Amino acid sequence: MSKFLSRRAFGKWAGGAALASSAAGTVGGAGARQGLEAATPRETYYKFPDGFLWGCATAAYQVEGGAKNGGRGPSIWDTFSHTPGKVHNNETGDVSDDDYHLYKEDIRLLKSLGAKVYRFSVSWPRIFPQGAGEPNPQGIDFYNRLVDELLAKGIQPYCTLFHWDLPQALQDRVGGWQSRETAQAFGEYAGYVAGKLSDRVQHFFTTNEFSSFIDLGYRDGKFAPGLTLPAAELNQARHNAVLAHGLGVQAIRAKGKPGTKVGIAENFNIPVPVIEAEPHIKASVQAMRVLNAPYLTVIMEGKYVEEYLRKEGAAAPKFTAEDLKIISSPLDFVGMNVYTPTYVRADDSAPGFAVVRPPASYPHMASEWLSVGPEALYWAPRHLGEIWNVKEMYVTENGCSSADTVTADGHVYDTDRVMYLRNYMIHLHRAVTENFPVRGYFLWSLMDNFEWADGYGLRFGLYYVDYKTEKRIAKLSAHFYQNVIERNSIV
Ligand code: PNW
């Protein structure tokens, strides 16, 4: 290995302290810090406000492994991934990153990035192996240990309650999200976890990305439980999911310590005006409300927009006024998962906008769906602020897949991910500069993990994971992000 490419020299060249590089590695000490002087970057105009909360996000089924450990029951993703032909190479989350056992090492990786916050999710079937009824004390114990370790390292925990791993028992007993009973069970589970963790966790997210677990799971059959329901049943499942969110909000407020904050993590459609001119901006505002009608709009407005009800006709969801009140329970903050833009233009015919499909030449990252549109990270907070007057926001996910390879010198030079992140962050900076109240940013993801139907074939991590050895290797993007956090500025 040449001197230039030794780990330490790489850290120097990257302009920050050496990063912890494997489960067994060491975090750079004072000596490695000298690298900072060796490569002081120029000041930029992209400074973030003091106290901006930089961090990373993961989700239980994607990183934990330990599928049979600690009394965990099966989830619909265990069943789905063990069904041949559903996931790339028939891969499963049985072991994954083994974070269930290696969480202390993974928190060390976070610490060496300088992360202030960490967004993790709780596995519902660890807490209630049967979906409801008797809690499994070993389940909450794992999250107690995780939270304590984060706090000991000075990292604030942000907890997501549902990131798609529905207990299989609920799918079997009542048809999962097709039943209101699942919404009730979610409320009880959310209240239970808030009761146990809110002495140390101040921020909870109810659910993550409705359209992913409902539309992909119950309409397209691409995600667990792999169903392809007709429109009326699909819309009812959507309704049950937003109802679950509302019941969760109420339960967290009832059972959490006073001062506990609750919000949501949602990948709403992000309408970006094709060009930034008034008619298209107006169209993008209308599109934001209409395209997100079944989920975020009803949560923020307490009613389904007319365009949605009219379009669905007889297939529209059945609901009561009381349901709408629960669904629109006030939130303390809104989290946005930002990946791709939806380009829209003004259009004279109703509903006043048209979606502009990208041409075949439009660039995307390793995931085909992940078209590159950095402006999405400006328009998401702007729409939330201008349309619904949201007073506290987080970027709960942003990141990308890349065809990462470990080169002969032992490094991963993911220059495309660095390009992607830098450009998105510049647009986030614009939003913050215009005073949209974005308080923090969670990069997806801390490390490579089980990418749902794409299995281990697509990598989103700042750390490369060798799944044979569970070794973690800091990618170039990890050095980039460490630098951003250290300087609180895009570098
Ligand atoms: C999110 N799309 O999923 C999830 O919250 C993560 O669990 C996941 O690993 C990450 O993004 C990367 O995929 C998405 O098709 C899945 O637009 C699909 C889409 C967007 C987000």
Side-chain angles (χ1 to χ4, degrees), residues 349-401:
S349 62
F353 67 88
V355 171
V356 177
R357 301 278 163 219
S361 56
Y362 198 95
H364 63 80
M365 303 303 290
S367 309
E368 245 166 71
W369 57 267
L370 217 178
S371 17
V372 181
E375 324 86 272
L377 205 34
Y378 166 71
W379 284 97
R382 177 163 163 181
H383 286 320
L384 290 179
E386 289 188 342
I387 302 174
W388 294 312
N389 199 21
V390 174
K391 293 275 192 273
E392 183 174 342
M393 311 175 189
Y394 294 90
V395 178
T396 31
E397 288 181 22
N398 174 237
C400 67
S401 47

Side-chain angles (χ1 to χ4, degrees), residues 62 163-164 208-209 267 339 369 397 444 451-452 460:
Q62 295 182 270
H163 202 125
W164 313 352
N208 180 75
E209 296 195 353
N267 67 330
Y339 291 97
W369 57 267
E397 288 181 22
W444 185 273
E451 177 55 13
W452 307 113
F460 276 78

Side-chain angles (χ1 to χ4, degrees), residues 172-384:
D172 295 343
R173 212 161 53 233
V174 300
W177 293 110
Q178 288 193 258
S179 169
R180 288 174 78 94
E181 279 184 53
T182 296
Q184 296 288 349
F186 176 74
E188 277 154 39
Y189 153 69
Y192 176 82
V193 175
K196 295 287 183 192
L197 297 184
S198 62
D199 57 335
R200 287 153 295 150
V201 176
Q202 211 201 343
H203 297 80
F204 289 89
F205 304 96
T206 52
T207 47
N208 180 75
E209 296 195 353
F210 294 110
S211 63
S212 300
F213 70 88
I214 299 288
D215 297 23
L216 297 180
Y218 288 76
R219 180 192 65 194
D220 303 341
K222 289 189 175 155
F223 280 8
L227 301 178
T228 51
L229 299 179
E233 288 174 53
L234 172 75
N235 288 331
Q236 209 57 47
R238 288 169 159 179
H239 179 75
N240 294 334
V242 286
L243 183 66
H245 153 79
L247 291 168
V249 173
Q250 297 188 346
I252 293 163
R253 294 211 197 289
K255 300 281 169 62
K257 189 181 138 189
T260 301
K261 290 186 162 197
V262 53
I264 193 161
E266 183 53 349
N267 67 330
F268 47 86
N269 262 291
I270 304 167
V272 171
V274 276
I275 54 172
E276 214 168 301
E278 207 44 55
H280 304 300
I281 294 174
K282 257 181 79 188
S284 74
V285 168
Q286 171 70 346
M288 176 78 175
R289 295 185 56 248
V290 172
L291 295 178
N292 297 302
Y295 303 125
L296 192 60
T297 307
V298 70
I299 288 171
M300 302 311 291
E301 301 187 0
K303 57 183 193 312
Y304 287 113
V305 298
E306 271 312 310
E307 286 84 351
Y308 173 60
L309 294 178
R310 209 176 320 116
K311 180 168 159 266
E312 298 299 324
K318 312 269 177 290
F319 56 88
T320 65
E322 176 62 16
D323 285 357
L324 295 180
K325 247 170 77 189
I326 295 168
I327 291 167
S328 58
S329 303
L331 299 179
D332 295 301
F333 53 84
V334 172
M336 51 197 135
N337 293 0
V338 178
Y339 291 97
T340 63
T342 301
Y343 289 111
V344 301
R345 62 170 172 81
D347 194 77
D348 287 339
S349 62
F353 67 88
V355 171
V356 177
R357 301 278 163 219
S361 56
Y362 198 95
H364 63 80
M365 303 303 290
S367 309
E368 245 166 71
W369 57 267
L370 217 178
S371 17
V372 181
E375 324 86 272
L377 205 34
Y378 166 71
W379 284 97
R382 177 163 163 181
H383 286 320
L384 290 179

Side-chain angles (χ1 to χ4, degrees), residues 428-450:
L428 172 62
H429 185 267
R430 179 182 172 200
V432 169
T433 304
E434 291 182 17
N435 288 322
F436 293 107
V438 186
R439 302 292 176 231
Y441 171 96
F442 296 86
L443 199 151
W444 185 273
S445 180
L446 171 63
M447 55 194 166
D448 297 337
N449 57 51
F450 179 78

